[in-house]
Amino acid sequence: QVQLVESGGGLVQPGGSLRLSCAASGSIFGINAADWYRQAPGKERELVAKITEGGRTNYADSVKGRFTISRDNAKNTMYLQMNSLKPEDTAVYYCNAKLGPYFYWGQGTQVTVSS
């Protein structure tokens, strides 16, 4: 059974940093394309960052310059480095990864930015 297991969320003060991880297991395929989404209370899920099979990255305007998406093929893990965090970054963060021909979702991890 393919699983994406997220970790790294938590409570951080404004201006702080967190690194989210999303580890894939149970698949014969590695992570190629992958995205991070987030969903704040009362809001729709939004795309935060994406990385293509070729390694190109794109970011939502709200996080550009502060967040970095990356992928470690040897560990079959993707990451979201989040710096200069703001209260409006508070949300549940979800990874979405393409392994072989299929897409899978992580279970979500809570990020709370508050003083």
Side-chain angles (χ1 to χ4, degrees):
Q1 182 179 356
V2 177
Q3 282 189 308
L4 295 181
V5 179
E6 299 184 39
S7 60
L11 173 64
V12 64
Q13 292 187 340
S17 297
L18 284 174
R19 188 176 80 155
L20 306 183
S21 299
C22 176
S25 63
S27 174
I28 61 172
F29 300 106
I31 294 175
N32 34 51
D35 310 306
W36 285 96
Y37 287 77
R38 67 185 181 188
Q39 187 166 19
K43 294 188 176 182
E44 292 187 355
R45 190 173 295 191
E46 64 171 345
L47 178 64
V48 174
K50 64 187 304 177
I51 184 165
T52 68
E53 290 189 45
R56 284 188 305 170
T57 58
N58 282 288
Y59 299 92
D61 287 342
S62 58
V63 307
K64 204 170 290 183
R66 300 187 297 121
F67 290 12
T68 303
I69 187 172
S70 62
R71 180 180 63 214
D72 186 331
N73 293 331
K75 296 182 178 180
N76 220 14
T77 300
M78 55 187 282
Y79 303 97
L80 185 68
Q81 177 67 43
M82 305 185 294
N83 299 328
S84 302
L85 282 161
K86 305 175 180 180
E88 52 263 43
D89 295 318
T90 295
V92 178
Y93 284 71
Y94 299 90
C95 58
N96 177 252
K98 184 171 183 283
L99 290 88
Y102 305 109
F103 285 89
Y104 300 89
W105 286 94
Q107 82 281 6
T109 185
Q110 177 71 46
V111 171
T112 303
V113 185
S114 175
S115 55

